[in-house]
Amino acid sequence: MCRWLAYSGTPVLLDTILYKPAHSLIDQSLHSKLGVETTNGDGFGVGWYTQGVDSPALFREIGPAWSNRNLRELADHVSSPLFFAHIRASTGTAVQQSNCHPFRHGRWMFMHNGAVEGFHRLRRDLTLLVDPALYADLEGTTDSEVMFYLALTFGLDEDPPAAVARMAGVVERVGREHGVEFPLQMTLAVTDGERLWFFRYSSERASRSLFHSSQVEALRRLHPDVTFLRDVSEETRLVVSEPLGDLPGAWNEVPESSYGVVQPGGDELRPFAPTPA
């Protein structure tokens, strides 16, 4: 499986989140504590938004994140108010750049941890459900990218939670038609550059780990000595596959079968269920 993080809030250097925490995503690429695999070295990717540009920038490589000098250089110089980072452990598809997360389409960015069980048997049926107008933009061979394009097909632009629910429902239907008992395992994040949605769901109700950060105001009261908390807005949030450190009160587990949205004016956390297809 994989590990990922999503950041939304006061613009910060990527280095602040990717490298500096005690259990940073770079550390997790070698020493994951909650993942299926300890090591996540089958590629990585970072995607970020900059002011005045609708489409996010992507930097993806097939090697491990822990030794990539270009990532280290980029993280020291790029600042962003919203970025994704992902370290990959392949579930069977090729280690190639087009299979590295995040994935991008227009202003949208998407990343995933988990798998479509039996994807090699389901791939044809699932990809044929992608809108023909989008099909030519598929670049890689992963289940994750197909999930993204199905969500785009089912109305990601209009209603992201409903589109992801329809995508999950289709994956489960097709999987069970092929005799797969538990077709879907997912924690995923998707953003349009303004709001950030995150989802935790699996067909067997035993999803991979996912956490969101506590409100900054509460953390300031708990930890007045932490400098980083003084410099960010109260709307700053992180969503992570596993906590970046052991700061008491900082991390909250995302409930099973739920989704959240990070947005100006108040976040939300709600139950999630696939839409039967």
Side-chain angles (χ1 to χ4, degrees):
M1 300 295 174
C2 311
R3 304 279 83 185
W4 59 257
L5 69 79
Y7 174 89
S8 175
T10 299
V12 295
L13 286 172
L14 304 190
D15 165 76
T16 306
I17 307 300
L18 291 184
Y19 285 91
K20 288 186 176 178
H23 189 48
S24 70
L25 195 68
I26 305 304
D27 180 67
Q28 290 175 35
S29 66
L30 274 169
H31 307 294
S32 172
K33 297 177 181 178
L34 300 179
V36 175
E37 298 88 5
T38 301
T39 303
N40 298 271
D42 295 328
F44 68 88
V46 181
W48 67 95
Y49 293 85
T50 54
Q51 187 175 6
V53 182
D54 290 336
S55 182
L58 291 185
F59 174 63
R60 301 184 294 179
E61 290 285 359
I62 61 172
W66 64 77
S67 61
N68 192 281
R69 296 179 64 186
N70 289 329
L71 178 62
R72 174 74 267 188
E73 180 75 12
L74 179 149
D76 284 338
H77 293 85
V78 171
S79 177
S80 175
L82 201 166
F83 61 88
F84 282 4
H86 186 282
I87 50 177
R88 184 172 184 243
S90 173
T91 55
T93 50
V95 178
Q96 61 191 46
Q97 195 174 93
S98 58
N99 284 346
C100 294
H101 308 224
F103 301 103
R104 173 183 62 192
H105 189 273
R107 73 180 190 275
W108 289 97
M109 191 159 57
F110 175 101
M111 61 183 173
H112 166 236
N113 173 38
V116 174
E117 185 68 25
F119 181 62
H120 62 289
R121 290 187 283 139
L122 279 55
R123 183 186 320 191
R124 180 180 181 277
D125 288 356
L126 291 176
T127 53
L128 288 177
L129 294 172
V130 172
D131 185 331
L134 297 170
Y135 186 87
D137 294 330
L138 280 163
E139 293 185 332
T141 60
T142 64
D143 49 0
S144 303
E145 189 181 20
V146 171
M147 290 165 63
F148 179 32
Y149 275 77
L150 286 171
L152 288 164
T153 297
F154 297 144
L156 193 64
D157 275 322
E158 291 77 34
D159 188 338
V164 172
R166 290 186 66 194
M167 174 274 289
V170 161
V171 170
E172 290 195 325
R173 174 181 64 79
V174 172
R176 285 166 182 154
E177 287 174 353
H178 285 263
V180 180
E181 183 179 7
F182 301 120
L184 184 59
Q185 174 71 245
M186 72 177 199
T187 65
L188 66 84
V190 62
T191 181
D192 60 359
E194 297 179 3
R195 291 184 290 172
L196 160 66
W197 292 264
F198 54 94
F199 300 80
R200 185 181 185 220
Y201 175 80
S202 64
S203 303
E204 58 184 325
R205 308 300 191 269
S207 301
R208 303 296 179 238
S209 58
L210 192 65
F211 298 82
H212 66 88
S213 61
S214 298
Q215 292 186 350
V216 171
E217 182 180 0
L219 287 173
R220 285 183 183 137
R221 291 196 299 267
L222 285 170
H223 306 284
D225 56 327
V226 178
T227 304
F228 173 74
L229 297 174
R230 302 177 205 160
D231 301 330
V232 297
S233 72
E234 293 182 2
E235 293 190 341
T236 295
R237 297 286 184 276
L238 273 159
V239 184
V240 297
S241 292
E242 56 187 78
L244 305 184
D246 57 2
L247 197 64
W251 303 103
N252 309 278
E253 187 173 12
V254 176
E256 177 67 47
S257 301
S258 65
Y259 79 92
V261 56
V262 176
Q263 60 190 354
D267 302 339
E268 299 176 9
L269 194 60
R270 297 182 177 182
F272 175 81
T275 299

